[in-house]
Amino acid sequence: MTKIKGVSGASLLVAAAIATQASADQWSDKFPHIKNTGDIAGECSYESMSKKDYSGQTLTINTHAVPVMGEPTALHAEQFAALTGAEVNVIHTPAGDLYSKAMVPFQAGQAPYDIVFGFSNFIRDWKQYLEPVPAKYVNMVQMKDVTQSHIDVNSWDGQMIQFPIDGDRHYLKYRKDVIDNPVYQEKYKAETGKELRVPQTWKEYAEMAAFFNGWDWDNDGELEYGSAEVMKKDDLMYAAFFSRSVAYSKNPRVKGGFFFDLETMEPLINGPGFVEALTDWVEATKYVPPGGINFGLGDEINSFGGGQTLFSFSWDDAFVAAMQDDSPIKNKVGAAPLPGSERVWNRVSGSWEDTYNQAPYIVWGWTAAVAKKSKNHEMAFDYLCFFANDANHQADIAIGRFGVNPFKKSDFKAELYVERQGWDPEIAKQYAETLMEMEEGSTNRVFPLRVPGVFQFNSAVATGTSKALAGQLSPQEALDEVAAEWKKIVKRIGPDTIREAYAIGVALEDAE
Amino acid sequence: MNFKHKYLFLLPGLLVLLAILIFPIGFTVRLSLSSWDSFYPALDFIGIENYVRLFTDDARFWEAFGRLSLLSVTTVFLQYVIGFGLALIVWKEIAFQRFFRVLFLIPMMTTPVIMTVIWRTFFHESLGPVNDILSHFNVAPLWLSSETLSKFTVMIVEVWQWTPFMFLLLLAGLLSLPKEPFLAASIDGAGPIRTFFYVTFPLMAPISIGAIIIRLIEASKIMDTVYVLTSGGPGTATETSSFYIFIKGLREFQFGYSAALSLTYLIIMIISFTIIAKLLVKLMVRGN
C-alpha cells in the first residue's frame, strides 16, 4: 500500500493567489508530468483542485498493480494529495482479483475502499454498491468531451455509475513497413495471386499471417511470425474470441441480441457465426509464435510491440507500446478496424448472407467508481475528476505502460500524436481515424456482455474456446459445451433477471 | 480445584478452537447449502442442490480431480526418490557437507509464486532461454502449450520446489537412526545395497510414510504453480481440483457452489489419505 500525505491545500491556494495569474507553467513546474501542456483550465484542473482543502481526510483507493492503471492512480494520488492536503492510500491488486477484492467487502456491507478500480463490465454486479456520479460531474465541460460510447459504457440505464477514465476497444494492428512494402507486395502476389493489403476479412488476415509466419522478414536475424493474440485461458481470451466473432455474427439487419436472443434468452454462442470464428481461431494457432496459445495480454503486447509478429488485435496497449520512443518498430505500424467477413449469419432466416460485414467491438476497459458506503464521496469524485482532467489525460495517453487510452473527442486529433509523441503524421492520422470511426462512424457495434454473473458466462467461453484451441474439442463441440453451460447459468440466475440487464446493452446496439 | 474450575480454564482454548476451526467449517457447510453468488449474496437455503449438481452435472470437477491425482502421486513419488537420494548423499561425512545441506534446501525457501514466474520465463516457448538453447539442436518443445508436455512442466516445477522438504524430513530421519543395526549388518558382511534395502529403508519406513503423507496433503492443494504457469491450460490440460474451486469461487463468485466443492474435496481427501496411509504401512512396514 502506498501512503501519500499532502501539504495543506490552503497553503497551495495562498501560493497560487500570490502568483497573480494561474498560468500553465506554474503547475507544470511543480508537476512535471504535465510539462507538455501545463495545466488546462477546467472544473478539475490543477488550479481548481488547489482551491479544495481536504486536510485531515483520508481517501483509500483499490487499483490495479503497477504499471497498467496502477502507476497513474498512484501518480495522480500523489498530485491530489499535494494539491488538497488529503491523505491518499493506494492499494495495488492484480487484475484477476480486482473484482473479488471489492465484491467481498461490498457483499459484507463494508467499505474498506472509497474508490474501486475495475473493468467496465463489472457494472451490473457492482452497481448496487456504487454511488452514481453526481450531476455536477456529469454535466461539467470535461465530461462533455467524452464520447457517447464511453458515456454508455460507464452508465446503466441512462445513469452514470462509473467515472470515465479510460477508453478501450479492440482494433487491428499491423506492420505497415511490411504490408506497404512493394517488394513484399510483389512476392505475395506472385506466390498467392492475391493483393497484399490491410486485411479486410479474417480469411485475408489468416492468409497473410500464414504467409509471413516463421521467417525473418524484417532482416533482424530473428524469426518473425504471423500474429500475436491473447489465447491463454482465463487471461481475457474471451474478449479476443468475441473480437473474431463479431464480423460473422453481428448482422446489422437482425436486432435483438448478439450473445442471446433477447426474447427467448437462448444463447447464440454456438451459432454458425461463432463456430466459423472459432474455426478461424483454431487455424490461427498455426501462425502465432511458438507457445502463442499460451500468450496472455502482456505476452501479446511484448510480442507485437517487440516486432515479433505481422499482426495483432486487442486493446490499444500493443500499438502504443510499438509507437514508443524505445520501440524497435516505432513508426512502422498501422492501425485499422477489426477485419470483417465475406458473409454474416442471419439467425432469423437461419442462413448465411453473402455480403461483406464488419462490426466494431467496444470492449470493456478500465474504469473507476466510488463506493456507496464511502464517507468521502465528494473527495472521491474530485479525485477521479482530477485523474481524468485534460492535462493529466493528455500526459497519460502518451505513456504506453499507463494503460490509459483515448476516450475523449479531443483525443482523436492526429496532430496531438505528431506534436507530443513524435508519431509519423500518416500513422497518427490513420490511428485517430480508426478509433474515431469505431466510436462514432459505425452503425453495427457490439457492446460487452454486462449481465449478472458476467464472469460465469465469460469463464465458460474461456474454458470452451481454450479446449478448441488445445485440440481437445472441435469448434462446434466446444461452443455447444459453452452454450449448454450458459443455459445452466441463465436457469440458475433467472432468465428474466438476465434479460432485464441484457436488454440495456441490446438497446445500445439496436439504436444504431 | 473442583470440576467446574477445570472447564473454566479450558474455556479460552475451546473458544479459540471454535473461532478458528469449528466456525469456518460450520459456515462452509452452511454456505454449501445456499446459492450465494455475485448476484444473490445471501445465505438462502437450497438444500443439497449444489451437491446434486456436483455429482450429476459437473464432469469438469472430476476430470480435474483425476488430473490432480496423477500430478500429486507422480510428483510426490519423484520427490521421495530424489529427496531420499540427496539425503543419503549428505548423511555420510562428505566434503562441504553443510554447504550441500543448505544448497539442497534453497528451492523450498524461495517464494513459490515468484519461482513459478521465473520457471514460466525459462519455459516461454518463443522468448525463453530453454528453447533458445534447444533451438541449436533444432528442438523446440511446447512446454506450456502442449496438452501432454504442460503436465510434465508443472511436475518439473513442483518437484524442484518441494524435493527439499522431503530431503529435510528424510535427512532428519536418517540422522536419528540407531547405529547398532548398521554395525550388525556390517559384521554380517552386508554391502551398501543390501544394507540399504534390509536396514536403512525398513528403519526409515515410518518416517517415509509420514513424509509422503505430508507431501501428498500439500501436493493435493497445488494451485499457485498451475495458476502462474498455465492457468490450467492449454484447454483444461493442467486444471486441478483446487484451481477449479478457485475459479468457481473467486473468478465466477459462486460461493455456495464452491463451498460444496471444497467440502466434497475435503471428504474425498480424508478418505483417500486414510486408505493411502494404511496401504503404505502395509507395504513399507508390515511388508518388511
Side-chain angles (χ1 to χ4, degrees):
Chain A
M1 184 173 77
T2 314
K3 277 199 174 188
I4 300 149
K5 186 157 185 172
V7 295
S8 158
S11 61
L12 281 169
L13 179 62
V14 171
I18 291 168
T20 48
Q21 51 181 1
S23 70
D25 288 343
Q26 175 205 345
W27 296 108
S28 58
D29 285 347
K30 284 192 177 80
F31 302 101
H33 181 60
I34 55 166
K35 65 179 187 305
N36 283 345
T37 63
D39 193 18
I40 298 175
E43 296 90 337
C44 299
S45 64
Y46 282 74
E47 178 75 23
S48 302
M49 282 301 118
S50 70
K51 292 171 183 160
K52 304 261 181 177
D53 184 2
Y54 291 125
S55 307
Q57 296 184 53
T58 303
L59 190 66
T60 306
I61 303 170
N62 186 43
T63 187
H64 186 231
V66 169
V68 177
M69 204 48 69
E71 194 172 336
T73 307
L75 173 67
H76 299 320
E78 195 179 327
Q79 296 162 338
F80 185 78
L83 289 166
T84 65
E87 183 178 328
V88 188
N89 300 331
V90 179
I91 295 151
H92 297 277
T93 302
D97 296 327
L98 280 170
Y99 176 83
S100 56
K101 201 158 177 184
M103 197 65 168
V104 170
F106 279 162
Q107 291 197 341
Q110 306 295 313
Y113 316 113
D114 298 295
I115 294 173
V116 286
F117 278 70
F119 301 139
S120 54
N121 64 341
F122 294 176
I123 192 168
R124 177 57 188 83
D125 283 351
W126 276 12
K127 73 182 180 68
Q128 61 265 42
Y129 309 108
L130 301 177
E131 181 70 12
V133 180
K136 74 167 181 173
Y137 296 94
V138 175
N139 297 324
M140 66 185 181
V141 176
Q142 181 179 318
M143 199 67 87
K144 300 289 177 211
D145 194 27
V146 177
T147 65
Q148 190 57 43
S149 292
H150 285 90
I151 295 285
D152 292 341
V153 159
N154 287 287
S155 301
W156 188 262
D157 210 8
Q159 185 177 40
M160 189 181 284
I161 305 285
Q162 298 164 327
F163 205 99
I165 53 162
D166 178 34
D168 284 286
R169 73 290 291 164
H170 277 191
Y171 61 91
L172 171 69
K173 297 110 190 179
Y174 66 94
R175 283 293 293 269
K176 199 171 170 56
D177 57 329
V178 175
I179 298 291
D180 293 351
N181 185 326
V183 175
Y184 285 142
Q185 286 173 343
E186 204 173 306
K187 183 180 165 74
Y188 189 75
K189 177 88 175 177
E191 293 185 29
T192 67
K194 294 176 180 171
E195 300 293 331
L196 182 62
R197 58 177 184 171
V198 178
Q200 302 300 301
T201 66
W202 285 107
K203 302 295 182 203
E204 282 186 7
Y205 181 100
E207 286 165 1
M208 292 174 198
F211 183 84
F212 285 96
N213 188 56
W215 54 283
D216 182 14
W217 37 256
D218 68 354
N219 302 311
D220 65 350
E222 303 280 339
L223 296 183
E224 275 80 40
Y225 301 93
S227 174
E229 310 186 17
V230 180
M231 289 180 159
K232 187 179 181 186
K233 187 162 82 85
D234 290 328
D235 200 343
L236 313 176
M237 70 175 300
Y238 60 86
F241 173 62
F242 290 144
S243 275
R244 276 182 167 272
S245 304
V246 285
Y248 293 113
S249 300
K250 178 66 172 73
N251 190 323
R253 289 162 293 282
V254 177
K255 306 291 183 190
F258 172 75
F259 298 103
F260 295 96
D261 179 334
L262 190 62
E263 258 180 47
T264 62
M265 286 314 290
E266 277 293 307
L268 304 173
I269 192 78
N270 58 340
F274 286 96
V275 173
E276 180 89 0
L278 186 53
T279 306
D280 283 356
W281 211 20
V282 171
E283 189 66 19
T285 58
K286 295 176 186 161
Y287 54 73
V288 295
I293 191 177
N294 212 31
F295 273 17
L297 181 60
D299 299 304
E300 185 238 16
I301 294 168
N302 291 335
S303 179
F304 180 78
Q308 198 185 20
T309 65
L310 180 69
F311 294 132
S312 175
F313 68 93
S314 77
W315 288 268
D316 293 68
D317 310 284
F319 189 85
V320 177
M323 289 297 284
Q324 285 187 172
D325 289 338
D326 56 355
S327 164
I329 55 170
K330 178 163 185 174
N331 285 327
K332 291 180 181 176
V333 294
L338 285 176
S341 61
E342 282 166 353
R343 58 180 189 163
V344 57
W345 179 251
N346 185 322
R347 67 179 165 85
V348 176
S349 66
S351 60
W352 287 100
E353 289 176 7
D354 290 324
T355 177
Y356 180 76
N357 189 54
Q358 201 275 337
Y361 179 40
I362 308 297
V363 69
W364 46 266
W366 289 107
T367 189
V370 175
K372 195 172 264 179
K373 293 217 166 186
S374 160
K375 292 186 173 68
N376 301 304
H377 285 166
E378 192 183 343
M379 179 166 55
F381 280 114
D382 273 348
Y383 168 80
L384 291 176
C385 188
F386 172 73
F387 182 114
N389 76 26
D390 290 336
N392 281 337
H393 177 66
Q394 289 193 23
D396 291 349
I397 60 172
I399 302 170
R401 68 177 188 278
F402 273 23
V404 177
N405 302 124
F407 66 94
K408 297 184 180 185
K409 293 167 196 161
S410 54
D411 292 335
F412 304 108
K413 289 178 184 154
E415 56 271 23
L416 200 72
Y417 304 96
V418 177
E419 288 164 14
R420 302 217 176 108
Q421 296 174 43
W423 289 16
D424 176 88
E426 193 191 336
I427 293 172
K429 183 169 176 283
Q430 188 190 34
Y431 172 78
E433 283 177 359
T434 298
L435 268 56
M436 193 61 187
E437 173 67 15
M438 290 180 72
E439 293 286 334
E440 298 195 337
S442 176
T443 54
N444 195 30
R445 292 176 300 174
V446 172
F447 283 82
L449 189 60
R450 305 187 303 171
V451 295
V454 62
F455 277 78
Q456 296 179 39
F457 290 107
N458 289 338
S459 180
V461 173
T463 303
T465 52
S466 64
K467 281 182 178 177
L469 294 182
Q472 291 177 318
L473 294 175
S474 72
Q476 183 70 61
E477 287 168 340
L479 292 178
D480 284 346
E481 197 175 277
V482 176
E485 188 60 32
W486 277 26
K487 281 181 187 173
K488 290 177 199 166
I489 301 167
V490 170
K491 194 178 166 196
R492 276 202 303 273
I493 296 177
D496 291 338
T497 308
I498 303 276
R499 183 187 290 110
E500 188 188 348
Y502 185 50
I504 290 167
V506 173
L508 293 174
E509 291 167 0
D510 288 354
E512 297 182 330
Chain B
M1 186 182 291
N2 64 28
F3 191 68
K4 280 181 186 172
H5 282 107
K6 283 182 186 171
Y7 279 103
L8 199 64
F9 282 109
L10 280 173
L11 195 62
L14 284 171
L15 285 175
V16 170
L17 189 70
L18 194 71
I20 65 169
L21 190 66
I22 310 293
F23 174 75
I25 290 178
F27 186 76
T28 307
V29 172
R30 177 63 188 89
L31 194 58
S32 75
L33 304 174
S34 78
S35 64
W36 190 320
D37 65 8
S38 57
F39 177 67
Y40 188 77
L43 275 177
D44 58 346
F45 183 76
I46 59 165
I48 57 166
E49 207 174 286
N50 285 329
Y51 293 94
V52 173
R53 180 181 159 196
L54 165 58
F55 283 100
T56 61
D57 195 22
D58 196 351
R60 194 171 152 196
F61 174 78
W62 300 105
E63 286 164 13
F65 184 73
R67 231 169 272 126
L68 171 76
S69 305
L70 172 75
L71 286 174
S72 52
V73 170
T74 312
T75 55
V76 171
F77 173 74
L78 290 172
Q79 288 163 19
Y80 178 70
V81 172
I82 300 169
F84 209 153
L86 294 176
L88 286 170
I89 290 171
V90 296
W91 177 36
K92 303 293 181 190
E93 288 297 326
I94 58 163
F96 307 111
Q97 187 189 46
R98 280 176 183 276
F99 170 76
F100 283 117
R101 282 182 185 178
V102 174
L103 184 72
F104 293 157
L105 287 176
I106 286 175
M108 192 181 75
M109 293 188 278
T110 58
T111 310
V113 171
I114 303 297
M115 285 319 299
T116 311
V117 170
I118 293 170
W119 277 107
R120 189 183 63 183
T121 309
F122 281 165
F123 286 125
H124 198 290
E125 286 121 331
S126 54
L127 305 171
V130 175
N131 275 14
D132 198 33
I133 294 165
L134 291 175
S135 67
H136 297 298
F137 307 99
N138 288 326
V139 184
L142 296 175
W143 298 103
L144 303 172
S145 35
S146 149
E147 206 183 332
T148 311
L149 204 53
S150 57
K151 291 186 186 73
F152 181 66
T153 309
V154 172
M155 286 180 193
I156 291 176
V157 178
E158 276 290 291
V159 169
W160 178 86
Q161 181 91 49
W162 295 112
T163 295
F165 181 80
M166 198 66 97
F167 160 79
L168 190 68
L169 289 186
L170 295 173
L171 180 63
L174 285 171
L175 292 172
S176 66
L177 292 181
K179 294 203 170 30
E180 293 77 8
F182 294 95
L183 284 172
S186 175
I187 291 163
D188 289 345
I193 294 171
R194 283 174 74 88
T195 305
F196 175 77
F197 281 109
Y198 290 97
V199 181
T200 316
F201 189 73
L203 285 174
M204 284 291 288
I207 294 160
S208 296
I209 292 167
I212 289 169
I213 292 293
I214 290 170
R215 270 308 304 146
L216 273 175
I217 290 170
E218 285 300 312
S220 68
K221 292 185 283 190
I222 179 172
M223 158 72 206
D224 35 13
T225 308
V226 170
Y227 177 71
V228 176
L229 210 55
T230 62
S231 287
T236 49
T238 55
E239 194 172 272
T240 59
S241 305
S242 43
F243 187 67
Y244 178 66
I245 295 169
F246 164 76
I247 289 172
K248 288 290 162 194
L250 288 171
R251 282 280 185 274
E252 300 181 11
F253 236 68
Q254 298 188 53
F255 276 160
Y257 186 57
S258 62
L261 290 175
S262 302
L263 284 173
T264 307
Y265 173 71
L266 176 68
I267 291 164
I268 293 171
M269 283 296 124
I270 290 169
I271 295 169
S272 304
F273 290 134
T274 308
I275 294 169
I276 289 169
K278 282 189 181 297
L279 281 174
L280 286 174
V281 169
K282 200 171 177 182
L283 283 170
M284 297 175 77
V285 181
R286 291 185 198 154
N288 185 41

